[in-house]
Amino acid sequence: MAGLKSLLKDTAIYGISSIVGRFLNYLLVPIYAASMSAASGGYGVVTEVYAWTALLMVVLTYGMETTFFRFVNKETENPKKVYSTVLTMVGGTSLLFAVLGMAFLQPIASMMGYADHPWYVGMMMIVVAMDAFQCLPFSYLRYKRKPLVFAGLKMLFIVLNITLNLIYYVGMGGSDVFYAFFFNLICTSIIMLLLIPQLKFGGGFDTSLAKRMLKYGYPILILGIAGILNQVADKIIFRHVYPGEDAQVQLGIYGAASKIAMIMAMLTQAFRYAYEPFVFAKSKDKDSKVMYANAMKYFIIFTLLAFLAVVFYIDILKYILAPDYWSGLKVVPIVMMAEIFMGVYFNLSFWYKLIDETKWGAYFSFAGCAILIAINVIFVPIYGYMACAWAGFAGYAVAMLLSYFVGQKKYPIQYDLKSIGKYVAAAIALYLVSEGLPFENVWVLLAIRTFLLLVFVGYIVKNDFPLKQIPFINRFIKK
């Protein structure tokens, strides 16, 4: 239990920084939505360029985050040498990418459809190169169990970025998409400077170690590409398969509405930051499988709670967006369920990482990605961005199920499926009840949905978090 408490403590710190950070980052959505009308397609540009950025991040880190944690926790490896070797590798490839990107900027921008605005692409290429390199010192902070430093730097970036955007888009009334990328470049550069103390090359570069790390990491790169394509492929290919002339407009509406569903991504990311080093560090413990099973159960419980909270209060949350984006709100429940599947898939992924068979992750992710792309290509011309939402749902569901069934043969873990199933059934039932309420008054709906949410919270407390076990509250119960 001590290990699980440590995980919860680190998750709380990472979670607070991630959730608060993402919440603050949400300020950019109403800022952009108010400054760039849906009809202008400006937010569509932001959505597409950032989708490419996410894909390139995976390519430029090529699995070295996970590889770092795997090798730095091996008793046979020198931690300093592991860190300096991987830092040199990722730093070198990131620099090469930035140099080549600037050398061929115009043809690359033209190929992407931004010939008139090449620096939209240029700035983000420099940003993604720095971000990829920064992943290693941030991983080092996680390894050294310095969540406060990690969280502080992440929060500083967000606060600086939001402040600059507020000054230009709100204070000065600007609307130029260029500055959305320019401010990101400035803030990323500042964080790069602040991370210099974490750049420790003293362990030297070990060629043999680098080869072994690349051998371990390349399947993670493949599965990472497939995994990120599950998240961004719809946004990258949308303009190329949507038949209407307003493709950029529709993409902007879909991208903005999907942001409301990203609370699930916050929880998954917060959990990942603490869970990845925890898993590898605890892999030798006798009760490790029990802790993995418990972590899965609690992850699902709280993501279901988050799902219900968002869909129940969508009538309030929609004001994050300008009214001309509200037509896309129907994708929110679908995208959130897809995010839950992605989170479960991430939890399941550790069995093949722990037995050094990361190729399985590539198989599962590519299967899900193939389904996602096929659904987008076939159905986006007919159903527009609704097909994008269902494609993500189907892709992650397939990857999740494949990983579970194969994992039970390769590295069996006794998950509490009965209890998890009851929570899923309860959440679905409450959601369907809320959707079927015959009231038009928003306040009546919110009141009833609040009651339904409390029912789910009560079910959680009754079954897995009795009040008498919660610090402080148990004192009042005893009295």
Side-chain angles (χ1 to χ4, degrees):
M1 288 300 294
L4 194 57
K5 288 181 179 178
S6 177
L7 170 65
L8 292 173
K9 177 184 175 182
D10 286 357
T11 301
I13 298 174
Y14 290 126
I16 290 172
S17 65
S18 178
I19 292 173
V20 172
R22 288 288 187 95
F23 176 76
L24 291 175
N25 234 357
Y26 270 152
L27 291 175
L28 295 177
V29 179
I31 290 171
Y32 293 155
S35 304
M36 310 169 193
S37 66
S40 71
Y43 197 76
V45 174
V46 173
T47 299
E48 183 178 6
V49 172
Y50 276 112
W52 277 107
T53 300
L55 176 59
L56 288 170
M57 270 292 292
V58 173
V59 174
L60 290 176
T61 53
Y62 45 97
M64 287 299 109
E65 283 183 278
T66 299
T67 301
F68 166 73
F69 285 117
R70 179 58 173 164
F71 278 76
V72 82
N73 283 291
K74 284 187 174 183
E75 295 179 357
T76 56
E77 302 292 351
N78 182 330
K80 290 183 179 179
K81 184 171 291 185
V82 169
Y83 180 50
S84 62
T85 297
V86 74
L87 198 61
T88 302
M89 292 164 62
V90 176
T93 51
S94 296
L95 179 61
L96 178 63
F97 170 81
V99 171
L100 291 177
M102 293 304 98
F104 298 98
L105 178 58
Q106 192 61 54
I108 292 173
S110 299
M111 182 179 65
M112 293 177 62
Y114 295 105
D116 295 334
H117 303 283
W119 276 103
Y120 290 179
V121 178
M123 285 187 290
M124 294 314 297
M125 291 179 77
I126 298 173
V127 166
V128 77
M130 286 194 289
D131 277 344
F133 181 57
Q134 289 176 16
C135 281
L136 272 301
F138 274 121
S139 295
Y140 183 73
L141 289 172
R142 290 160 61 195
Y143 164 68
K144 285 295 188 178
R145 303 292 292 275
K146 294 182 178 180
L148 292 177
V149 179
F150 178 100
L153 290 172
K154 292 287 187 181
M155 288 295 296
L156 177 61
F157 170 85
I158 292 168
V159 171
L160 286 173
N161 194 29
I162 291 173
T163 300
L164 291 173
N165 277 277
L166 282 172
I167 291 172
Y168 174 71
Y169 288 108
V170 177
M172 299 173 62
S175 60
D176 194 334
V177 178
F178 172 89
Y179 288 95
F181 305 125
F182 180 61
F183 295 147
N184 194 333
L185 176 61
I186 292 175
C187 296
T188 303
S189 301
I190 291 173
I191 299 302
M192 188 75 258
L193 293 174
L194 294 176
L195 280 171
I196 289 176
Q198 308 302 328
L199 305 181
K200 303 180 186 299
F201 294 93
F205 182 82
D206 189 321
T207 303
S208 175
L209 174 61
K211 290 179 180 179
R212 285 186 282 119
M213 295 177 81
L214 287 170
K215 182 178 180 181
Y216 179 87
Y218 87 85
I220 299 176
L221 166 62
I222 295 173
L223 80 89
I225 291 174
I228 199 64
L229 282 174
N230 279 320
Q231 297 180 51
V232 303
D234 53 351
K235 301 171 185 67
I236 290 175
I237 68 176
F238 186 87
R239 283 197 302 140
H240 304 286
V241 297
Y242 184 77
E245 295 181 357
D246 61 339
Q248 202 80 62
V249 174
Q250 294 298 309
L251 178 59
I253 293 173
Y254 172 60
S258 296
K259 287 292 184 182
I260 295 179
M262 287 300 104
I263 188 172
M264 206 60 69
M266 297 182 206
L267 295 175
T268 302
Q269 185 72 3
F271 195 81
R272 175 179 177 267
Y273 282 146
Y275 195 48
E276 192 164 48
F278 169 81
V279 166
F280 289 122
K282 294 295 179 181
S283 60
K284 302 179 186 68
D285 293 357
K286 292 182 179 180
D287 64 343
S288 60
K289 290 188 177 182
V290 175
M291 283 190 285
Y292 300 159
N294 287 334
M296 171 71 84
K297 178 181 176 180
Y298 296 135
F299 174 81
I300 292 175
I301 289 173
F302 287 112
T303 51
L304 288 173
L305 179 62
F307 170 81
L308 291 177
V310 171
V311 296
F312 285 176
Y313 296 105
I314 195 69
D315 289 316
I316 295 176
L317 293 174
K318 69 181 182 181
Y319 288 99
I320 291 174
L321 308 176
D324 52 346
Y325 288 92
W326 289 358
S327 60
L329 292 175
K330 52 186 176 289
V331 306
V332 172
I334 306 168
V335 174
M336 287 195 75
M337 287 305 301
E339 290 290 338
I340 292 178
F341 292 159
M342 182 183 73
V344 173
Y345 175 56
F346 170 78
N347 279 272
L348 291 169
S349 71
F350 279 97
W351 68 260
Y352 53 76
K353 294 177 182 177
L354 289 170
I355 64 174
D356 293 346
E357 291 192 21
T358 47
K359 61 183 181 181
W360 286 104
Y363 298 155
F364 305 146
S365 293
F366 269 113
C369 185
I371 290 173
L372 180 145
I373 292 175
I375 292 176
N376 272 280
V377 171
I378 296 171
F379 293 107
V380 163
I382 305 172
Y383 299 106
Y385 56 72
M386 286 302 296
C388 297
W390 282 112
F393 179 96
Y396 280 124
V398 168
M400 175 186 69
L401 292 172
L402 287 174
S403 185
Y404 172 77
F405 287 115
V406 176
Q408 289 305 296
K409 294 182 179 180
K410 295 281 187 177
Y411 191 83
I413 296 176
Q414 298 302 313
Y415 296 108
D416 189 356
L417 296 182
K418 182 178 180 181
S419 179
I420 291 173
K422 289 181 179 179
Y423 277 108
V424 172
I428 292 174
L430 291 172
Y431 170 68
L432 293 176
V433 169
S434 74
E435 289 297 296
L437 292 173
F439 303 103
E440 294 185 3
N441 186 288
V442 172
W443 298 109
V444 172
L445 283 172
L446 290 176
I448 297 175
R449 287 171 177 170
T450 299
F451 172 75
L452 294 176
L453 187 64
L454 291 175
V455 168
F456 191 73
V457 172
Y459 183 75
I460 295 173
V461 171
K462 180 177 182 296
N463 289 278
D464 284 282
F465 292 92
L467 295 177
K468 63 182 180 180
Q469 293 185 11
I470 301 176
F472 303 111
I473 295 179
N474 61 2
R475 299 179 184 176
F476 294 99
I477 294 178
K478 289 178 181 179
K479 292 179 181 180

